[in-house]
Amino acid sequence: LANAERDGFILQVGDQSIESATAKTKKHFHSEVFAFNIENEHDRTTYISKADLVISLLPPALHILAAKDCLKFGKNLITASYISNELKQMEAEVLSKNLLFLCECGLDPGIDHMSAMEIIHRLKSDGYTLSAFSSYTGGLVAPESNDNPWGYKFSWNPRNVIVAGQGTARYIANGKYHYLPYNRLFKEIVRIEVDELGGFDGYANRDSLSYRQHYGLDNIPTLIRGTLRQEGYCSAWQIFVTLGMADDTFTVENSEQLTYAEFTEACLPQSAIGNNVTEKLLNYFELNQDSDEYKKIESTGIFSNEKINLKNATPAMILQQLLQSKWVLKEEDKDMIVMQHNFEFTKLNKQYKLDSTLVVIGDNNIQTAMAKTVGLPLGIIARKVVKNEVLSKGVVMPVDKNIYQPILDDLNEMGIRFKEKMKEL
Amino acid sequence: LANAERDGFILQVGDQSIESATAKTKKHFHSEVFAFNIENEHDRTTYISKADLVISLLPPALHILAAKDCLKFGKNLITASYISNELKQMEAEVLSKNLLFLCECGLDPGIDHMSAMEIIHRLKSDGYTLSAFSSYTGGLVAPESNDNPWGYKFSWNPRNVIVAGQGTARYIANGKYHYLPYNRLFKEIVRIEVDELGGFDGYANRDSLSYRQHYGLDNIPTLIRGTLRQEGYCSAWQIFVTLGMADDTFTVENSEQLTYAEFTEACLPQSAIGNNVTEKLLNYFELNQDSDEYKKIESTGIFSNEKINLKNATPAMILQQLLQSKWVLKEEDKDMIVMQHNFEFTKLNKQYKLDSTLVVIGDNNIQTAMAKTVGLPLGIIARKVVKNEVLSKGVVMPVDKNIYQPILDDLNEMGIRFKEKMKEL
């Protein structure tokens, strides 16, 4: 909206709740708001057919509905979500209509691709050969607002934090593939150092292998992508994994009648020894009450005698309800995005290492670092697309210079910039 | 077929391969064989419309195709598979046509339900109050054919053995619910004693809780159903679980080019210490080469330098290929079914315990104990249903006396019988 008058565009915001949309546009004179339900064909036809460009901020599974009508009415589309198989399969049609469906254009996926590709292209054009690339991103809480034992507060979809990592992570290190099942994911972590912030836990994301192709690094011997958490988070979270408390595949019997303590006891082994659930957990995991893990676990309230009061809840839903009440960003709280890329590369028999780190601090619990880093890349590239300044067509992620460069340049002006450190090994 | 002449029926056997069907009926003069594809509507119409009763031995997901045409043509149906939700939803229509769709009528599910219900009904009518019921079944190998370290050979679908237990097991013990995730399933086992055979490992099956209702034991404080394996099997299988080697949700990169040893190394932690994959596994699991676990693991061939030679294989497919070559029932091998129910109950302030155990040994690798115990209940009840001797209607499992009693009586005559031991506690 800050550019709307200069560029001469109207930002139309559709939402199920017109009040919610209005709260965001604040009746800016270059904005229009309207009640909109993506599952209503009339709504889609009305608003997509008259748009110059569609930015879909829908839940990922619903983008496809917007995409089909964008294809029908010949409109470009931008999202911050992973390219689904369904969307990828539309590529031939998208190309035949000379359209751009630009996805993965937020933070992660988004800025991660852009900033990595900028460095990869630069190193390659400088004649370096890349031997290793690892990249970690975390949506965290700023040090000044870090007042719980986990060092974590929700700045995006809490459910995704609860069920994170279920499945098997895949990456390649020194030319060897590694498959890391959920039961070991939070045990096999790396330490990521960030200037002035200290060390973080990094755990592997689901599928790093496909990025060799996406990034044009088909034969790189090491490629791993992962998630950052405050140091110590992962070893405590592993307790929930071992207890099955993040399982989202079945409903707990009588969940609304149980207390959190009873639920926790039901997840502990029948053989666990102790006079109460706390003792049983301490004994089973061989922890003492002074340990960091125990303090974290205890702080969540899983030993509380309060009723869960959720009907037909899965373990993940119960854990989410508990954590959402504890890990909330208060009005004055600031969240923090940390992203770090680590590259290793060679030229003329010399080995080098380059770390590139982004730290973004939010303003408050509305203007979060998460909202900025997911939203700004979309806004920046939307302006370029409507002005026909982007050459790419098809169903793509932002790995081409003509897409990532203008975004990174504008982000840089807004203070969202990476710091690089390079050294010879 | 042994009863076909006396009863005056013709057994029609349809199979994709007419040779395979003929090999089973051996051209018995009361049999007919025909080429049959359940997915071909013409085949279904032709053969289901003229049958008196349909016995479906199809893979579970295909029963529904037979069921829909049984409903259309007004035919009774029998299967040995779990009642699917899809099938259960047909119940009103099945009842409106006065039909019986009798499912779960093999071994497990099947004989387990029947034999348990026979005892439950007897104890209840004798005035006992049940306080605990546990039931374990295993499709194993007979002691005389037990010549591998696992004490296991495949007598049914190998894939189901490989992926067994994925998800979260649920049971109730002493009035408390227990949820047991896959990562701990093979660690939290019970020892089941069988006369003359010794001890077995018992691990919990997926959902024991629903059986409280099915068995009319809605308020029983303890109910657990599980699977039996030779003692020591579970602690070794836990190694595959921890390594993620039974995962069936993703394909291993270049699986056809890898050796088994390379695949195993890819599943071990990157941090595992050792000069080769064997040392890494021993170190990671803190095992020595004389341990039973190591001998079992080593015997499977997962350290072999042979090529896997399977394209786009999941870890589970690779493990299955390996075990299918090792755990095969040879022609003269005998398999063994072991089923044990344990009941606890009270009357007049006295506590009692009753164990009921079935052991069935196969004749060879065709006439297996598995084939007999899955097939005979179906054959027995089919004769009763066509003679209109079964009163039940609807989509049911064999928990009513009018179904289970004739089956158990006939099985008893064939030597398939439980031994009971009751004692006061």
Side-chain angles (χ1 to χ4, degrees):
Chain A
L1 283 175
N3 295 290
E5 189 174 4
R6 183 177 11 149
D7 287 6
F9 65 77
I10 305 287
L11 183 70
Q12 299 182 299
V13 180
D15 196 312
Q16 283 191 315
S17 149
I18 206 158
E19 291 73 26
S20 166
T22 308
K24 286 173 181 97
T25 60
K26 298 197 177 76
K27 303 191 176 171
H28 190 287
F29 72 115
H30 273 260
S31 75
E32 286 174 18
V33 299
F34 54 92
F36 182 80
N37 179 350
I38 189 69
E39 294 178 308
N40 180 316
E41 191 186 339
H42 175 78
D43 283 5
R44 289 200 306 274
T45 301
T46 305
Y47 293 103
I48 294 177
S49 69
K50 71 177 186 187
D52 292 302
L53 165 77
V54 174
I55 304 174
S56 173
L57 294 170
L58 292 160
L62 297 174
H63 291 314
I64 191 71
L65 293 174
K68 282 179 179 163
D69 278 2
C70 284
L71 195 60
K72 185 168 162 188
F73 299 116
K75 308 298 179 181
N76 293 313
L77 172 69
I78 308 182
T79 85
S81 303
Y82 284 103
I83 298 175
S84 64
N85 288 334
E86 221 178 348
L87 209 59
K88 194 67 194 173
Q89 280 161 10
M90 293 171 75
E91 181 150 43
E93 286 176 283
V94 170
L95 283 170
S96 76
K97 293 206 164 185
N98 205 32
L99 294 174
L100 170 64
F101 283 12
L102 174 59
C103 305
E104 311 197 13
C105 211
L107 169 66
D108 175 4
I111 293 175
D112 53 350
H113 299 331
M114 305 176 207
S115 52
M117 290 312 300
E118 194 275 326
I119 295 171
I120 291 166
H121 286 157
R122 178 167 22 116
L123 291 174
K124 281 188 174 178
S125 80
D126 288 350
Y128 294 103
T129 302
L130 277 87
S131 57
F133 171 44
S134 64
S135 176
Y136 291 85
T137 305
L140 306 161
V141 62
E144 58 262 50
S145 304
N146 178 3
D147 54 15
N148 78 45
W150 292 79
Y152 192 82
K153 297 186 181 185
F154 293 115
S155 58
W156 66 302
N157 188 344
R159 187 175 177 283
N160 289 1
V161 176
I162 307 296
V163 302
Q166 297 184 5
T168 293
R170 299 161 244 171
Y171 64 93
I172 188 163
N174 305 315
K176 291 192 173 175
Y177 294 113
H178 291 276
Y179 302 107
L180 181 48
Y182 184 56
N183 80 76
R184 301 198 325 256
L185 181 65
F186 293 93
K187 286 180 191 170
E188 292 176 31
I189 54 173
V190 295
R191 187 183 161 91
I192 301 292
E193 289 289 340
V194 178
D195 282 353
E196 287 152 45
L197 291 171
F200 292 86
D201 288 350
Y203 68 86
N205 280 356
R206 186 166 288 213
D207 181 14
S208 295
L209 298 177
S210 62
Y211 290 90
R212 297 171 91 199
Q213 197 193 343
H214 295 321
Y215 290 175
L217 300 171
D218 297 72
N219 296 309
I220 195 167
T222 297
L223 196 156
I224 178 163
R225 284 164 47 95
T227 297
L228 288 179
R229 292 288 178 259
Q230 283 290 347
E231 208 170 2
Y233 178 105
C234 289
S235 67
W237 191 265
Q238 177 64 40
I239 292 173
F240 292 139
V241 173
T242 301
L243 294 178
M245 290 177 85
D247 193 322
D248 204 34
T249 63
F250 72 94
T251 54
V252 171
E253 295 287 311
N254 296 327
S255 58
E256 76 279 20
Q257 289 301 323
L258 288 184
T259 67
Y260 290 104
E262 286 166 343
F263 163 62
T264 302
E265 188 148 9
C267 295
L268 276 160
Q270 206 186 328
S271 59
I273 292 161
N275 293 314
N276 55 49
V277 56
T278 306
E279 283 183 23
K280 286 180 183 180
L281 185 136
L282 287 167
N283 286 331
Y284 181 68
F285 289 100
E286 297 177 14
L287 293 176
N288 72 58
Q289 290 197 297
D290 300 326
S291 64
D292 287 342
E293 284 94 341
Y294 177 75
K295 284 179 194 161
K296 287 189 178 66
I297 293 293
E298 197 279 334
S299 74
T300 63
I302 68 163
F303 302 127
S304 131
N305 290 317
E306 254 180 76
K307 279 207 175 163
I308 292 170
N309 239 328
L310 263 184
K311 274 193 185 167
N312 301 320
T314 65
M317 287 161 69
I318 297 172
L319 189 56
Q320 181 179 335
Q321 169 169 278
L322 206 47
L323 296 182
Q324 273 191 283
S325 72
K326 309 276 175 176
W327 293 359
V328 64
L329 276 178
K330 290 178 296 234
E331 209 176 309
E332 70 285 10
D333 272 348
K334 293 175 179 183
D335 71 326
M336 175 173 73
I337 299 297
V338 177
M339 182 180 288
Q340 187 174 88
H341 304 305
N342 302 286
F343 294 93
E344 288 177 30
F345 43 95
T346 54
K347 186 159 81 171
L348 303 173
N349 289 323
K350 284 186 181 166
Q351 277 200 300
Y352 304 88
K353 192 176 180 321
L354 184 152
D355 297 344
S356 180
T357 306
L358 172 72
V359 178
V360 184
I361 307 281
D363 302 335
N364 52 49
N365 75 340
I366 302 290
Q367 300 292 334
T368 59
M370 183 63 82
K372 293 189 220 183
T373 53
V374 174
L376 289 171
L378 290 170
I380 293 166
I381 202 66
R383 289 177 65 206
K384 311 281 177 189
V385 173
V386 289
K387 292 190 216 168
N388 282 317
E389 290 174 14
V390 175
L391 299 173
S392 298
K393 303 292 170 189
V395 180
V396 301
M397 54 173 75
V399 291
D400 279 342
K401 195 177 178 75
N402 87 94
I403 298 175
Y404 69 68
Q405 199 64 60
I407 299 179
L408 292 174
D409 289 347
D410 278 16
L411 288 174
N412 190 51
E413 273 180 38
M414 296 168 182
I416 296 176
R417 59 177 73 108
F418 285 80
K419 281 187 192 164
E420 291 190 5
K421 282 197 299 186
M422 179 160 158
K423 63 176 175 188
E424 201 180 318
L425 290 180
Chain B
L1 283 175
N3 294 292
E5 190 173 4
R6 181 174 14 146
D7 287 6
F9 66 77
I10 305 287
L11 183 71
Q12 300 181 298
V13 180
D15 197 312
Q16 284 192 315
S17 148
I18 207 157
E19 291 73 26
S20 165
T22 308
K24 285 176 181 96
T25 60
K26 299 197 176 78
K27 302 191 178 172
H28 189 286
F29 72 115
H30 273 260
S31 74
E32 287 174 18
V33 298
F34 53 91
F36 182 80
N37 179 348
I38 189 67
E39 294 178 308
N40 180 316
E41 192 187 338
H42 175 77
D43 284 4
R44 288 199 307 273
T45 301
T46 305
Y47 292 104
I48 294 177
S49 70
K50 71 177 184 186
D52 291 303
L53 166 77
V54 174
I55 304 174
S56 173
L57 295 170
L58 292 160
L62 296 175
H63 291 314
I64 191 70
L65 293 173
K68 282 178 179 165
D69 278 2
C70 283
L71 194 61
K72 185 169 164 188
F73 298 115
K75 308 298 179 182
N76 293 313
L77 172 69
I78 308 183
T79 84
S81 303
Y82 284 102
I83 299 175
S84 63
N85 288 334
E86 222 179 349
L87 209 58
K88 193 70 194 169
Q89 279 160 10
M90 293 171 76
E91 180 149 45
E93 286 176 284
V94 171
L95 282 170
S96 77
K97 292 207 166 185
N98 206 32
L99 293 174
L100 171 64
F101 284 12
L102 174 59
C103 306
E104 311 197 12
C105 211
L107 169 67
D108 174 6
I111 293 176
D112 54 349
H113 298 331
M114 305 176 207
S115 51
M117 290 312 300
E118 194 275 325
I119 295 171
I120 291 166
H121 286 157
R122 176 164 26 112
L123 291 174
K124 282 188 174 179
S125 80
D126 289 350
Y128 294 103
T129 302
L130 277 87
S131 57
F133 171 43
S134 64
S135 176
Y136 290 86
T137 304
L140 306 161
V141 63
E144 58 262 49
S145 304
N146 178 2
D147 54 15
N148 76 46
W150 293 78
Y152 192 82
K153 297 185 182 187
F154 294 114
S155 58
W156 65 303
N157 188 344
R159 186 175 178 283
N160 288 2
V161 176
I162 307 295
V163 302
Q166 297 183 5
T168 292
R170 298 161 244 171
Y171 64 94
I172 186 162
N174 304 316
K176 291 191 174 177
Y177 295 113
H178 290 276
Y179 302 106
L180 181 48
Y182 183 57
N183 81 75
R184 301 197 327 256
L185 182 65
F186 292 93
K187 285 180 191 171
E188 292 175 31
I189 54 173
V190 296
R191 187 183 162 92
I192 301 291
E193 288 289 341
V194 178
D195 282 352
E196 288 153 43
L197 290 172
F200 292 85
D201 288 350
Y203 68 85
N205 281 354
R206 185 166 289 212
D207 182 14
S208 296
L209 298 176
S210 62
Y211 290 91
R212 298 170 90 200
Q213 197 193 341
H214 295 321
Y215 289 175
L217 300 171
D218 297 72
N219 296 308
I220 196 167
T222 297
L223 197 155
I224 178 162
R225 285 164 48 93
T227 297
L228 289 178
R229 291 288 179 260
Q230 283 290 348
E231 207 170 3
Y233 178 104
C234 290
S235 66
W237 191 266
Q238 177 65 39
I239 293 172
F240 291 139
V241 173
T242 302
L243 294 179
M245 290 177 85
D247 193 322
D248 203 35
T249 62
F250 71 94
T251 55
V252 171
E253 296 287 312
N254 296 325
S255 58
E256 76 279 18
Q257 289 301 322
L258 288 184
T259 67
Y260 289 104
E262 285 166 342
F263 164 61
T264 302
E265 188 149 8
C267 294
L268 276 160
Q270 204 186 330
S271 59
I273 292 161
N275 292 313
N276 54 50
V277 56
T278 306
E279 282 182 25
K280 286 179 183 180
L281 185 136
L282 287 167
N283 286 332
Y284 181 67
F285 289 100
E286 297 177 13
L287 294 175
N288 72 57
Q289 289 196 299
D290 300 326
S291 64
D292 287 342
E293 284 95 340
Y294 177 75
K295 285 179 193 160
K296 287 188 177 67
I297 293 294
E298 197 278 334
S299 75
T300 62
I302 68 163
F303 301 126
S304 130
N305 290 318
E306 255 179 74
K307 277 206 176 164
I308 291 169
N309 238 328
L310 263 184
K311 273 193 186 166
N312 301 321
T314 65
M317 287 161 69
I318 296 171
L319 189 56
Q320 180 178 337
Q321 169 170 277
L322 206 47
L323 296 182
Q324 273 191 284
S325 71
K326 309 276 175 177
W327 293 0
V328 64
L329 275 177
K330 290 178 298 235
E331 209 176 310
E332 70 285 9
D333 273 349
K334 294 176 179 181
D335 71 326
M336 176 172 71
I337 299 296
V338 178
M339 182 180 289
Q340 187 174 88
H341 304 305
N342 303 284
F343 293 94
E344 288 178 28
F345 43 95
T346 55
K347 186 159 82 173
L348 303 171
N349 290 322
K350 283 186 181 165
Q351 277 200 299
Y352 304 89
K353 193 176 179 322
L354 185 152
D355 296 345
S356 181
T357 307
L358 173 72
V359 178
V360 183
I361 307 280
D363 302 335
N364 52 50
N365 75 339
I366 302 290
Q367 299 292 334
T368 59
M370 184 62 83
K372 292 190 222 183
T373 54
V374 173
L376 288 171
L378 290 170
I380 293 166
I381 202 65
R383 288 178 64 208
K384 312 281 177 189
V385 173
V386 288
K387 292 190 217 168
N388 283 316
E389 290 173 16
V390 176
L391 299 174
S392 299
K393 303 292 170 190
V395 180
V396 301
M397 54 172 75
V399 291
D400 279 344
K401 195 177 178 74
N402 88 94
I403 299 175
Y404 69 68
Q405 200 63 61
I407 299 178
L408 293 174
D409 289 347
D410 279 18
L411 288 174
N412 190 51
E413 272 181 37
M414 296 168 182
I416 296 176
R417 61 178 73 106
F418 284 79
K419 281 188 193 163
E420 292 191 3
K421 281 198 299 187
M422 179 161 157
K423 63 176 176 190
E424 202 181 318
L425 291 180

